[in-house]
Amino acid sequence: RAWSVITVLGVVASVLTVAVLNWWVLWTVALAGMLAMIAFDAINASQLSEQYGKRRSRFALSRFLVPMVVIVVGGFLLLTGFALPGVRSALPVEVAPSYQLSWTVVRGVFSHNMLFGWGPENFSLAFDKFGAGALANTQLASFRFYDANAELFNIAVHGGVVALVALLFLGWCVVQVLMRFGSAIGEDSVRGEAAAFATEASGTLAALIAVGVALFLYPFNITILAIAFVLLALAGLVIGGGRSTVVDIEERPMFSLGASLGFIIGLILVLSGLYFTSVRYIADARYASALAESTPQAAMDGIVKAIALNGSDDRFYRDGSQVALTLVAAETSKPAGQTDTTKIQNLVAAAVQLAQRAVQTSPEESLNWANLGLVYQSLSGLVDNVEQLAADAYAKASELRPGDPTFDNSVGQMWLSRADLVRQLANGSTSAQFQQQYDAALTNAVAAFQKAIDKAPTYGLAIYNLGAAYDRQGQTTDAIKQLEKIAPYNTDQPTLMFELGLLYIRANRHPDALTMMQRAVLLAPQYANARWYLALLLEEKGDIQGALAQLLEIQKTNPDNTALNDKITQLQAGTRAIPPGKVIDNKPLQ
């Protein structure tokens, strides 16, 4: 009786959970299982008619009650789209590739290695190669998926045709089990065991069919896989019934020898598996603990311990290189005289070596190459000629994940930063060497940003960066064109409005500049530099009172700014800067 109560409570809880989620995939799997339950119960009623006699219809009706209720509830909720207010919106969102995108990845894999696929658990690598390009013009351009939207596609990617043939054979075996269900019921009926057997068999086989349907609708995790294997084993027992074959290995020397060797080999494999699994688990635990540390040094120590336990996980090297860069930044930010040059050199070497080890451990992983490029990029200014190494690493990442514009954008940002660094080092010098380096860096940046835009014409960040590169090259008109492409889609960004306004000023389009500065101030009333330039433009226009009003607003938060106070005094005296055309040459507030 206690087990019956627990069973009822479990069924109610399951139905309520699916009802709250109200997701068509869950309902499809559930309804498939319920329909299978009804079908098997119908077979039960037919096979057990002699045992139940006149109670045949009563037995069938009572067994149909629960699955029919679930079917009715599921159909109603699916058709109405019912959702409890505030419940579904509070649940985490799961993003998965579409069927079309998953099929694109499968086709790409089959075109390169139809027989064996891309390898176990390598869907993310296959997605980088064949599916990432489909996301180029979306907000998920840098996103990667580790599973298809159905386990069937995962199997095809991981194992190719060989895995699909094996799955087809398994499906054939399941069909054979289902076809023998009726005869198995009849055999147990003869032995007087049919009532209990029918109940257990129906539930087992219906659950197996539900898992089979889920194979086409959802990727499997380790829990679903475990359930599937248990159901397969139970299905075999269902059909096997009480039949058994006894083999006495003591009377057959070859069987005895084979059993002994099998036991020894199996024991060695089990012990080895337990050892390596335990070591990897401890390594993962230390890695997770290291990422939760509050200081970079403690995090680095934890990652080093994880690497010592498991040196074949590229995540440890990849994240270790980034922690090393954090330590480099912390050391270089110390006041002059307190920095340890030797320590900086060791940390730089460690960052590079860890990033390179990640690439060596998993050379087909685009994340590792992108990380190596980022490490090299971070060392620009500290290590000579490191930019080309970074560009090469990003190029390899782009090769492994074609269609992703983020790598090209990273290359462009690196060269843009390099140009700014050269200009800073030049410090006003007109040396031909500095000018050549500056021009070359900007040329490389423009080429990289343009390459990113060619892959994703709506990639706003690359468009903005291309405009910034054009601006540094003195091509103001081209810079304006780039920012005007993204301005209509970023009307809530005051910084973009301000920068576009500055470009309009340089292009002598002062009415447009005035409009942009007004938008920037409207979006961010505390944006001092936007108000400053708005005041200058109003002054140039002859609106002294309007300009003064803007400056007085700035003065509320910058009361001690000398340039601001001088400008306010000038305007209060009713005078304009002469000539008016040079008003906007004033530098922004600091």
Side-chain angles (χ1 to χ4, degrees), residues 149-210:
N149 67 334
E151 186 62 21
L152 179 65
F153 291 136
N154 284 335
I155 293 172
V157 170
H158 295 165
V161 172
V162 172
L164 290 179
V165 170
L167 180 65
L168 185 63
F169 176 73
L170 178 62
W172 178 81
C173 293
V174 171
V175 170
Q176 296 301 310
V177 169
L178 299 179
M179 292 177 63
R180 298 177 184 179
F181 174 70
S183 60
I185 293 292
E187 291 176 7
D188 279 76
S189 177
V190 173
R191 294 195 298 267
E193 304 172 355
F197 175 78
T199 302
E200 298 168 357
S202 296
T204 299
L205 297 182
L208 185 60
I209 288 179

Side-chain angles (χ1 to χ4, degrees), residues 138-450:
T138 70
Q139 295 181 345
L140 302 177
S142 60
F143 201 79
R144 68 192 329 227
F145 292 104
Y146 292 86
D147 284 299
N149 67 334
E151 186 62 21
L152 179 65
F153 291 136
N154 284 335
I155 293 172
V157 170
H158 295 165
V161 172
V162 172
L164 290 179
V165 170
L167 180 65
L168 185 63
F169 176 73
L170 178 62
W172 178 81
C173 293
V174 171
V175 170
Q176 296 301 310
V177 169
L178 299 179
M179 292 177 63
R180 298 177 184 179
F181 174 70
S183 60
I185 293 292
E187 291 176 7
D188 279 76
S189 177
V190 173
R191 294 195 298 267
E193 304 172 355
F197 175 78
T199 302
E200 298 168 357
S202 296
T204 299
L205 297 182
L208 185 60
I209 288 179
V211 171
V213 172
L215 183 74
F216 296 88
L217 301 176
Y218 193 76
F220 285 7
N221 54 29
I222 190 170
T223 302
I224 300 177
L225 281 174
I227 292 174
F229 284 125
V230 170
L231 290 175
L232 287 171
L234 292 177
L237 293 177
V238 164
I239 300 306
R243 295 188 300 271
S244 61
T245 301
V246 178
V247 177
D248 189 352
I249 63 174
E250 297 294 339
E251 297 181 358
R252 299 187 179 184
M254 294 303 296
F255 281 12
S256 178
L257 177 61
S260 300
L261 291 176
F263 175 77
I264 294 173
I265 295 174
L267 184 59
I268 292 174
L269 292 177
V270 169
L271 292 177
S272 300
L274 288 175
Y275 171 76
F276 287 113
T277 301
S278 301
V279 169
R280 291 191 175 189
Y281 177 81
I282 296 173
D284 285 344
R286 290 188 175 179
Y287 168 70
S289 177
L291 296 182
E293 292 289 348
S294 57
T295 63
Q297 187 58 57
M300 178 57 78
D301 294 340
I303 290 176
V304 169
K305 292 178 181 178
I307 291 175
L309 289 171
N310 181 11
S312 60
D313 195 324
D314 58 321
R315 295 176 304 161
F316 301 168
Y317 299 111
R318 191 166 62 236
D319 289 337
S321 65
Q322 292 302 313
V323 175
L325 287 180
T326 303
L327 292 172
V328 171
E331 189 66 27
T332 54
S333 64
K334 292 181 179 179
Q338 297 184 18
T339 57
D340 188 338
T341 305
T342 302
K343 184 178 180 180
I344 292 176
Q345 292 175 345
N346 291 336
L347 288 172
V348 167
V352 173
Q353 290 172 3
L354 287 169
Q356 290 175 340
R357 283 291 301 275
V359 166
Q360 294 166 4
T361 301
S362 184
E364 299 301 318
E365 175 60 78
S366 63
L367 291 178
N368 292 334
W369 288 100
N371 177 70
L372 181 60
L374 181 59
V375 169
Y376 284 140
Q377 179 181 349
S378 302
L379 300 179
S380 180
L382 295 176
V383 180
D384 293 334
N385 302 319
V386 76
E387 290 82 11
Q388 190 56 51
L389 294 175
D392 293 341
Y394 281 127
K396 181 62 177 178
S398 184
E399 178 185 335
L400 293 172
R401 187 179 165 92
D404 189 341
T406 58
F407 301 128
D408 299 302
N409 183 66
S410 296
V411 173
Q413 288 179 318
M414 177 194 66
W415 287 116
L416 200 60
S417 300
R418 175 62 180 172
D420 292 340
L421 179 61
V422 170
R423 184 173 57 182
Q424 181 181 354
L425 294 175
N427 195 23
S429 173
T430 57
S431 169
Q433 180 181 1
F434 281 120
Q435 188 62 42
Q436 183 179 4
Q437 294 178 2
Y438 182 74
D439 293 340
L442 287 179
T443 300
N444 291 335
V446 168
F449 291 137
Q450 190 60 61

Side-chain angles (χ1 to χ4, degrees), residues 472-511:
R472 286 166 173 77
Q473 286 182 327
Q475 302 180 36
T476 305
T477 302
D478 291 332
I480 290 174
K481 290 180 180 179
Q482 298 304 317
L483 266 63
E484 284 179 338
K485 291 179 182 178
I486 60 176
Y489 308 100
N490 295 273
T491 54
D492 59 340
Q493 299 297 321
T495 302
L496 178 61
M497 302 298 112
F498 173 73
E499 293 178 354
L500 185 54
L502 289 181
L503 290 175
Y504 283 143
I505 290 173
R506 293 172 192 164
N508 203 28
R509 294 170 56 178
H510 292 185

Side-chain angles (χ1 to χ4, degrees), residues 30-97:
L31 295 181
M34 295 300 101
L35 291 173
M37 178 73 75
I38 293 175
F40 290 129
D41 282 342
I43 296 176
N44 290 344
S46 175
Q47 293 292 332
L48 302 178
S49 57
E50 295 182 1
Q51 182 175 346
Y52 283 92
K54 296 181 179 180
R55 292 181 297 165
R56 171 184 174 184
S57 59
R58 179 182 177 186
F59 169 79
L61 180 62
S62 64
R63 293 286 294 171
F64 291 165
L65 183 60
V66 173
M68 290 181 65
V69 169
V70 174
I71 291 174
V72 171
V73 172
F76 170 77
L77 292 177
L78 280 178
L79 291 175
T80 60
F82 175 79
L84 293 176
V87 175
R88 288 184 62 179
S89 60
L91 297 174
V93 177
E94 182 176 359
V95 181

